[in-house]
Amino acid sequence: MSTATDKPQVITLRGRRVVGGKARAEALVTTQTISGWGGISEKDGSVIELHHELHGQSFAGKVLVFPGAKGSSGWSAYFHMCRLNGTAPAAMLFTRMTTKIALGAVVTRVPTLTDFDADIFELIDTGDTVEVDADAGLVTITKAPG
Amino acid sequence: MQLTDFEKSMLDGAQGDAKARAMDLLLRYGEALGAERLVETRNVAGAFNASTPSVRHMVGDGDEEGFDRVFSGLNLDSDDVVDIPRMTVPTCQLITGIDMENHETQGVDPALAELQGKSERYLGKRGVNMMCTCTPYQVGNVPLQGEHCAWMESSAVIYCNSVLGARTNVEGKESTGAAGLTGRIPYWGLHMPENRNANRLIRLDVEVDDMSEWGVLGYFTGFEVEEDQPAFDGLTHQPDLMKLKHFGAAAASSGGVELYHMPGITPEAPTLEAAFAGAALPAPIIYGAKERKRTWERLQNATDRKLDFVMLGCPHNSIEQMSRVAELLEGRRIHPDTALWVHTPRAIRQVADRSGYTEVIERAGGVVMSDTCPSISRKLPKGVRVIATDSAKQAHYLPAITKVQGWFGSVEQCVESAVAGEWLGVVR
């Protein structure tokens, strides 16, 4: 339980800029890759893939922490539509570079980093507050209480 | 990124606004990848058609400016509307959402079908070849070994790289728009020979021969290796275009496989050792009876056996497959409560019409569709709850996209079940 004397735990790590910009939002973390076309709904930013651990959850306005993209080449077009519909993530942190995720991040136009100096899946949990300064290559994590 | 003088002149606008926007996107994309330069391509396959409900508000009345707005926004990621000139290099349209001859059966809004007609004329005027299939390699776009391409459509990309030995990454709607206008794409990933070796080994302990078995092996492969590049050992039968088409489509659905090697079959792997460029072989992943059965079961996303709809032709059928479906349906009638749609490229449909296959399928109560598929169009016959398909790819996507129950089986199981009106398949 948190008390007045407890300071929230803050962790910083570095990565390589994929798309510049700054954002601060709650994290949504999955260790499973995500499909764009056929894997998400562009209407509300939710994951629709049947056996995915995020099935039914939305990344809209969240810092999406995930290994990267899989599946159809419609990946970028679906994340592009999420931007146009206002259902895109606030920022993206991923570990596995592919053309799908690179192009997808570029057209989603949200701060995006990869190539981290630490394990993002170890350090970030869903619900943590994450500040992404992609121009500086900096991620600041404020752990959620509990 | 290093740009040539000619590429800089495109970026600076000396070749017009559209090419400047295209180069700007390629630069942002290349830098995101960490690419050092671009490479020339003369073979682009992308998605340009502007006839989905989501773009309708951008198109307006369907005049040229409306289509320029869609191309600028969705194919170049440009906030400004620019005049789109003729493509610089050979460029084709992949699958679309509407069959231009069967849109009533599909249940498509007639206004959208009219818009697609206008969109096709707009694109044709700009040199986009209206192949309208997920399988351009079945209808004349067959790149040579080593050729640099810029293709979308994961099932076409894996075929292009693995079976043809041409070089493409999985491109997207925006990068193919930019590539068609500039003849450039980032030199990264599978364009570079040093990135084309196998890094995983899959050893077969069971026979794989029937098309459905190739689909199941592909589905297993995608889950096991995700984005990696597998080589195969222990193949028991020589595959053909149709089988590798199904295998690759499945591997690119359950995972992100873009290149595989089959020693003695695919062009960059004369031997298993060559697939790994002489490096030590990794410990093999075994595909045995247990793995095969588990993957078959994983493809069944249904419990009800009463069957409403059977979907064949994902990826689009070859002429041999059309012939086989007609043979299975000759003199028979599918169940009145079950719909059967068979999908093939329009160019192959013409051969099927001429050979009498279309007539046999239609007389049995089926429909031959072109230009589209249910996963792309999100259109199924009314009231469908339970579907069956011979495609691992469609079995993977359709239940997720359209919330139906899905069975997977061989083409024979699918046709017999369409006639019976109930799913007869069993996992052996």
Side-chain angles (χ1 to χ4, degrees), chain B residues 138 240-242 245 317-327 344 348 351 357:
Chain B
Q138 292 194 122
D240 56 18
L241 180 155
M242 163 186 92
K245 178 179 69 177
N317 272 353
S318 65
I319 191 63
E320 294 87 341
Q321 290 173 284
M322 295 307 287
S323 165
R324 177 67 179 143
V325 174
E327 184 186 3
T344 192
I348 291 178
V351 183
Y357 306 149

Side-chain angles (χ1 to χ4, degrees), chain B residues 277-419:
Chain B
L281 301 187
I285 299 162
I286 304 297
Y287 181 72
K290 189 176 71 194
E291 290 77 16
R292 175 194 163 278
K293 186 153 191 279
R294 208 173 53 214
T295 311
W296 266 96
E297 285 164 353
R298 200 169 183 170
L299 279 162
Q300 315 300 335
N301 285 303
T303 47
D304 296 348
R305 288 199 172 255
K306 187 179 179 309
L307 193 57
D308 304 311
F309 178 55
V310 175
M311 188 281 170
L312 304 177
C314 164
H316 278 171
N317 272 353
S318 65
I319 191 63
E320 294 87 341
Q321 290 173 284
M322 295 307 287
S323 165
R324 177 67 179 143
V325 174
E327 184 186 3
L328 290 167
L329 282 171
E330 180 71 58
R332 305 178 76 186
R333 183 92 206 143
I334 61 171
H335 193 277
D337 296 340
T338 308
L340 168 71
W341 292 359
V342 187
H343 300 75
T344 192
R346 190 157 297 284
I348 291 178
R349 188 200 158 112
Q350 203 172 35
V351 183
D353 289 353
R354 202 167 171 180
S355 311
Y357 306 149
T358 307
E359 199 189 333
V360 171
I361 293 167
E362 287 177 350
R363 216 184 307 129
V367 178
V368 176
M369 289 268 182
S370 292
D371 309 333
T372 190
C373 81
S375 284
I376 290 286
S377 67
R378 306 185 183 190
K379 295 286 181 193
L380 298 168
K382 269 208 167 55
V384 166
R385 288 179 55 249
V386 184
I387 68 128
T389 176
D390 65 341
S391 161
K393 175 174 182 168
Q394 200 79 195
H396 176 83
Y397 281 120
L398 204 52
I401 293 170
T402 64
K403 315 264 187 269
V404 294
Q405 297 184 32
W407 295 104
F408 166 81
S410 66
V411 62
E412 292 80 10
Q413 285 174 342
C414 285
V415 170
E416 292 308 315
S417 299
V419 169

Side-chain angles (χ1 to χ4, degrees), chain B residues 222-300:
Chain B
F223 278 118
E224 286 297 316
V225 310
E226 298 202 308
E227 331 256 85
D228 285 345
Q229 292 163 197
F232 290 81
D233 189 24
L235 297 173
T236 52
H237 294 74
Q238 170 75 29
D240 56 18
L241 180 155
M242 163 186 92
K243 291 170 182 175
L244 292 188
K245 178 179 69 177
H246 269 258
F247 166 82
S253 299
S254 54
V257 183
E258 299 173 23
L259 171 63
Y260 60 85
H261 298 290
M262 291 185 179
I265 294 166
T266 59
E268 289 172 276
T271 63
L272 190 60
E273 289 67 30
F276 290 90
L281 301 187
I285 299 162
I286 304 297
Y287 181 72
K290 189 176 71 194
E291 290 77 16
R292 175 194 163 278
K293 186 153 191 279
R294 208 173 53 214
T295 311
W296 266 96
E297 285 164 353
R298 200 169 183 170
L299 279 162
Q300 315 300 335

Side-chain angles (χ1 to χ4, degrees), chain A residues 16 18 37-38 48 51 69 71-73 76-78 80-81 83-84 96-100 102-103 106-107 109, chain B residues 28-29 31-33 54 73 77 79 152-153 169-172 174-175 188 226-227 252 255 301 375 378 397 400:
Chain A
R16 178 176 81 78
V18 176
W37 178 90
I48 62 167
H51 303 293
S72 162
S73 58
S76 65
Y78 267 68
H80 194 155
M81 282 195 277
R83 167 167 67 80
L84 300 177
R96 204 180 306 161
M97 178 56 87
T98 59
T99 49
K100 282 173 221 162
L103 183 63
V106 163
V107 301
R109 301 188 192 169
Chain B
R28 286 188 282 144
Y29 172 38
E31 282 175 352
L33 286 168
S54 60
D77 190 35
D79 289 335
M152 279 184 79
E153 174 51 56
N169 293 309
V170 171
E171 294 302 339
E174 303 83 1
S175 58
W188 189 85
E226 298 202 308
E227 331 256 85
N301 285 303
S375 284
R378 306 185 183 190
Y397 281 120

Side-chain angles (χ1 to χ4, degrees), chain B residues 153-234:
Chain B
E153 174 51 56
S154 60
S155 71
V157 165
I158 188 172
Y159 193 92
C160 182
N161 277 313
S162 311
V163 183
L164 303 177
R167 297 180 193 169
T168 182
N169 293 309
V170 171
E171 294 302 339
K173 197 173 169 76
E174 303 83 1
S175 58
T176 50
L181 285 171
T182 61
R184 298 292 189 281
I185 202 73
Y187 185 69
W188 189 85
L190 294 178
H191 289 287
M192 305 162 83
E194 61 269 34
N195 292 334
R196 296 182 62 86
N197 301 324
N199 50 22
R200 302 290 287 274
L201 175 60
I202 297 183
R203 181 163 292 152
L204 272 55
D205 270 359
V206 285
E207 282 195 15
V208 174
D209 187 15
D210 185 76
M211 188 188 83
S212 58
E213 295 290 349
W214 281 98
V216 173
L217 175 62
Y219 205 59
F220 169 82
T221 299
F223 278 118
E224 286 297 316
V225 310
E226 298 202 308
E227 331 256 85
D228 285 345
Q229 292 163 197
F232 290 81
D233 189 24

Side-chain angles (χ1 to χ4, degrees), chain A residues 64-101:
Chain A
L64 181 59
V65 180
F66 64 135
K70 72 166 176 182
S72 162
S73 58
W75 211 93
S76 65
Y78 267 68
F79 276 76
H80 194 155
M81 282 195 277
C82 284
R83 167 167 67 80
L84 300 177
N85 293 343
T87 60
M92 295 196 276
L93 308 177
F94 68 91
T95 52
R96 204 180 306 161
M97 178 56 87
T98 59
T99 49
K100 282 173 221 162
I101 184 89

